[in-house]
Amino acid sequence: MKTELIVILSQREIEKMRQAGRLAAKLLQHLEPMVKPGVSTLELNDEAERWTQAQGAKSAPLGYKGFPKSICTSVNEVICHGIPNAKQILKEGDIINIDVTPIVDGYHGDTSKTFIVGDAPPKVKKLVEVTQECLNLGIAEVKPGAKIGDIGAAIQEYAEAQGFSVVRDFVGHGISNIFHTAPDIPHYGTRGKGKRLRPGMVFTIEPMINEGTYEVEMLGDGWTAVTRDRQLSAQFEHTIVVTDDGVEILTLPDGE
Ligand code: MF3
Ligand code: CO
Ligand code: CO
C-alpha cells in the first residue's frame, strides 16, 4: 500500500538521500566491470551484498515483501525484478539491468542501469541508448510547477517515435526512509496532467522500454516480470529531488 501524502523532505533528509544515492551509484560503478560473459547473476548479487555491508549499509531489496536477494538482475526479456541465480550465466550479446537500493542511515538510494554484455547488434544498442535518453528526457521535465504527467509524456513521445513501447505496469515512486511511497511516476501520459511538482519532493524515474509489446507477464516465482512477446526490455533509473529551480540527481557517483 502506498502512503497517500507526498512528503516534502527537509534539507537534513535530502542530505541523507544524497549519501544513500551516492552509495547506490558507486555500487553500480563497482559492479560494472564484473559484467562479462561467464559471470552468474548470483555472483553479481553476492559481490553487491558484500560491498554494501563493507560500506556499513544495507540492501533494501533483501527480504522486501519476501524478495530473496540483494539486487535485481533483469536479463534480456526480463522487464524488472529478476532474481539473481547461480545457474544464470551471462553470455556475449545479453543485456542486463542491475537495480540496486542501499539503505544508508535509514534512507534509500535507488538506481539501475542496463549493461550490454560484450558486444551486441545495432538494434540492441539502439534500445539501450533510447532507454537511457528516455530517463534523461524525463529528468529534464522536472522543476517546480511542472506536472507529473509532463515526465511520462516526454518519455512516451520519444520512446514511441523511436519504434519502442513503454511499460505501464511498473512506475517510478516516491522514496525516502520508505522504499516505495507516493507519488507514482508513470513513464507514459499526458502533459499538464497529474500532481504539481514542488521543491523537496523526492522520487525515482525508471522507464522500462520494450522492443515489442509493452504487455507484461509474471513468471511463477511471483517476481520476475517478462515481456509477453519475449522481446527485449531495457531500463535505467535515477532517484531525484525537485529543487527550487529544477532538479538534482541524487544517484550520481560523485554527487555532481
Ligand atoms: N529497485 C526496484 C525499484 O526500482 C524495486 C525492487 S523491489 C524488490 O523500485 F523487491 F524486487 F527488490
Ligand atoms: Co530500483
Ligand atoms: Co525504484
Side-chain angles (χ1 to χ4, degrees):
M1 283 293 276
K2 306 238 176 213
T3 308
E4 288 299 315
L5 280 179
I6 303 178
V7 168
I8 301 295
L9 273 68
S10 67
Q11 284 305 319
R12 180 185 143 277
E13 291 175 297
I14 292 168
E15 184 50 36
K16 291 190 180 202
M17 289 298 295
R18 281 191 192 100
Q19 305 288 336
R22 193 169 303 149
L23 197 78
K26 285 182 186 293
L27 173 53
L28 272 189
Q29 213 171 42
H30 178 72
L31 296 175
E32 179 167 10
M34 290 180 70
V35 179
K36 296 250 168 61
V39 76
S40 75
T41 52
L42 187 68
E43 288 175 287
L44 295 168
N45 177 83
D46 291 354
E47 179 57 21
E49 179 59 34
R50 187 200 67 72
W51 188 89
T52 299
Q53 285 185 22
Q55 308 301 313
K58 281 173 48 174
S59 302
L62 186 61
Y64 178 77
K65 297 184 179 177
F67 190 79
K69 296 293 176 191
S70 301
I71 62 173
C72 296
T73 50
S74 300
V75 177
N76 296 339
E77 74 278 7
V78 179
I79 295 169
C80 63
H81 304 165
I83 303 172
N85 185 309
K87 292 187 181 138
Q88 184 178 42
I89 312 291
L90 298 183
K91 58 181 196 307
E92 181 88 12
D94 283 344
I95 60 172
I96 178 174
N97 175 276
I98 302 180
D99 191 337
V100 301
T101 312
I103 305 174
V104 178
D105 200 11
Y107 286 76
H108 297 70
D110 189 2
T111 186
S112 83
K113 280 185 180 175
T114 296
F115 301 102
I116 296 174
V117 182
D119 203 6
K123 61 173 217 160
V124 176
K125 287 184 184 160
K126 182 184 169 189
L127 174 70
V128 174
E129 283 163 13
V130 166
T131 306
Q132 169 75 76
E133 182 63 9
C134 283
L135 174 56
N136 296 344
L137 291 170
I139 292 169
E141 294 293 325
V142 176
K143 56 176 182 295
K147 299 288 186 72
I148 285 178
D150 300 345
I151 299 169
I155 291 169
Q156 183 177 15
E157 281 163 18
Y158 182 69
E160 292 181 356
Q162 295 299 316
F164 298 129
S165 71
V166 178
V167 170
R168 271 65 163 161
D169 290 6
F170 300 96
V171 296
H173 50 91
I175 182 167
S176 55
N177 54 341
I178 302 168
F179 196 171
H180 296 99
T181 184
D184 279 351
I185 308 291
H187 307 106
Y188 57 93
T190 310
R191 283 179 198 280
K193 298 269 180 166
K195 296 233 163 69
R196 192 176 292 281
L197 302 181
R198 298 181 193 283
M201 285 184 185
V202 176
F203 53 83
T204 73
I205 305 177
E206 50 182 296
M208 286 142 275
I209 305 298
N210 295 356
E211 271 187 319
T213 182
Y214 61 74
E215 289 176 285
V216 174
E217 195 177 305
M218 294 302 299
L219 297 190
D221 59 22
W223 281 104
T224 310
V226 300
T227 56
R228 251 190 86 177
D229 60 12
R230 302 301 193 269
Q231 293 195 73
L232 297 178
S233 181
Q235 181 179 24
F236 286 81
E237 175 175 27
H238 274 310
T239 300
I240 65 94
V241 57
V242 184
T243 61
D244 288 335
D245 56 0
V247 62
E248 177 184 340
I249 300 174
L250 298 169
T251 40
L252 291 174
D254 293 305
E256 67 260 46

